Amino acid sequence: MSDIIQLLPDHVANQIAAGEVVQRPASVVKELLENAIDANASEIKLILKDAGKTLVQVIDNGKGMSVTDARLSFERHATSKIRSAEDLFQLHTKGFRGEALASIAAIAHVELKTKQDRDELGTHILIEGSTVKSQEVVVTPKGTSVSVKNLFFNIPARRNFLKSNTVELRHVSDEFHRVALAHPNIGFSMYHNGSELFSLQSSNYRQRVVNVFGTKTNEKLVPVEEETEVLKVSGFVGKPEFSKKTKSEQFFFVNHRFVKSPYLNHAINAAFEGLLKEGYHPSYFLNLTVDPKTIDINIHPTKTEIKFDDEHTLYAILRSSVKHSLGQFNIAPVLDFESNTNLDTPYDYKDKAGKTPTIEVDSTFNPFANERTVAPSSIRHGQQRQYTKAPAANWESLYVGLESKGNKVQNDFAEVTFESHPETASIFKTEDVEQEKTTYQLRQKYIVSTIKSGMLIIDQNRAHQRILYENLLKQLTSKEATTQQLLFPINIGFSIADVQIIKQLQSDLEFAGFEFSEVKEEQVIITGVPVGVPESEVSIVLEQLISDVENDVPDQNFSASDLLAKSMAKSLAIKTGQTLNSEEQEHILNSLFACKEPSVSPTNKTTFITLSVDDIEKKFMS
């Protein structure tokens, strides 16, 4: 039998590796930014075209590379960070696997310009699909510039899986935020299609958070500081009243590297227990510093997952640190059993001597005496004023003759009749209505109704979503939504990236009934809302809409009107746990079956099920 196992060519192996490392333009941005940081750059510039599909360019002023290093950097498993396996547990840099540039070069056109400070000329390399097209000297400033063009040009299937520019740009912005927040001492700037989106100067951590997420974020932050032998925690958590329905403002940085850890996230949620409304998530921007020997960051190609030696200890420290900060800054109630505030002396009386109160009593005062008496006020002021008490009225005369007519009074009371309103027959038979009640609410989640064939069970939240979705979609397509003017405008603060999404959907929001007086860089002023949308729900509706736009909206199926209708229906629908009276239950039941697609919610989930009499009888056969 002939041999069938063979070594893969380098360009095929690189394309396979690229599938693990490079999933979308945001993956390229992450790798290039981390390389710039490892090069000790103090200023890093990110330039994008078409959300990174056409161009991703990162320019830094780091130490640059020599001619040999520039060429070797595109080889697989070529790195300057480690020399042996033991070095994996002493990592203080970002990239160390030596696969990033090789994988990127396998599926894109890459142009590299780099120069060290001591050299007069730099190196210029062009690579297309792992093939080096040219290498020559060039005049270039100190540092490195890497341009990645036409991503996935040789893998069209992967390129077709990319989402819309809006979604891809959001993923790029997320990676940019993660790197920028982890290194506030480095200046970052970001440009997209020629317009500047971010310009972050070197600053402290609080200022970096505010610059990324908007000036209104400053009032939301609660500092967290704790240092132990195992873990050092620093950063900020958001106040409970500013919590969001999305997890867009949750950041863990372990040794200046962004990581995702559901276990540690649970510790934060435990610290906020009892302070958040159901369905809301806390915001946090926390830096964790641990010994590199106690962690393993080499368990995933993107290095966003991490393993800790002693997770339980870190969980307890993190939970206690956050809870202590919330109590220290009077965010959460704190019990102090060592002091009684009722016994505290006010500051105004701290140096004053105690004074015994005096009481004056007029011992000669008699309210039943008829004779003239001296008024107490006269005694008090040294005057001889007099007054005479009026004799009591002849009250005995009021009861003359009642004793002799006692029997008659009793007889009269026995025949007393009371006036009452005349009874009028109602045209509605209320008793019959109660008997004919056909809908019931089960666990404040389901509406149960009887039908000819058996029983109907409706999920009230999904059913209401379907009803609202079709009504909203009709208004958006016909552009006949009614706007309710607000007495006072609503001013809502958003991050720069969120405002960009609102600008893109502004016309559709106006067709839905929203009215904007101004859409600034970090805030939105709303003067009108759709009829039926409470003012308190406006920010929730917009946040949910932004979250839906961020998450996987395919190009070919993207419809702003459909997305807006789904998002608003999700935000405004009746929630599980809400009690409904009989009329409301009947209204949902009738409205649902008046819809075009009553059987599924806008997200294609079942809205109701039926149980036939036969199904019920089978349960009793055993």
Side-chain angles (χ1 to χ4, degrees), residues 101 203 311 316 382 538:
L101 287 179
S203 60
E311 283 188 331
V538 173

Side-chain angles (χ1 to χ4, degrees), residues 44-91:
I44 301 174
K45 183 185 295 184
L46 172 63
I47 301 173
L48 303 169
K49 285 185 180 178
D50 300 329
K53 297 176 184 177
T54 303
L55 172 67
V56 175
Q57 183 177 7
V58 173
I59 304 172
D60 68 70
N61 62 348
K63 54 189 177 184
M65 291 182 284
S66 65
V67 178
T68 305
D69 288 345
R71 180 65 189 84
L72 279 176
S73 64
F74 290 97
E75 297 296 329
R76 292 190 67 196
H77 309 302
T79 178
S80 62
K81 314 298 170 53
I82 58 176
R83 292 289 182 269
S84 63
E86 287 74 17
D87 293 339
L88 290 172
F89 298 97
Q90 288 290 341
L91 290 172

Side-chain angles (χ1 to χ4, degrees), residues 466-467 470 587-598:
R466 165 54 64 178
I467 297 165
E470 293 200 2
H587 177 72
I588 288 182
L589 179 66
N590 297 331
S591 300
L592 175 63
F593 288 100
C595 294
K596 293 181 180 179
E597 293 287 342

Side-chain angles (χ1 to χ4, degrees), residues 1-17:
M1 185 176 179
S2 60
D3 298 332
I4 59 175
I5 297 177
Q6 59 183 353
L7 291 174
L8 286 174
D10 287 343
H11 70 279
V12 177
N14 286 339
Q15 288 185 2
I16 294 173

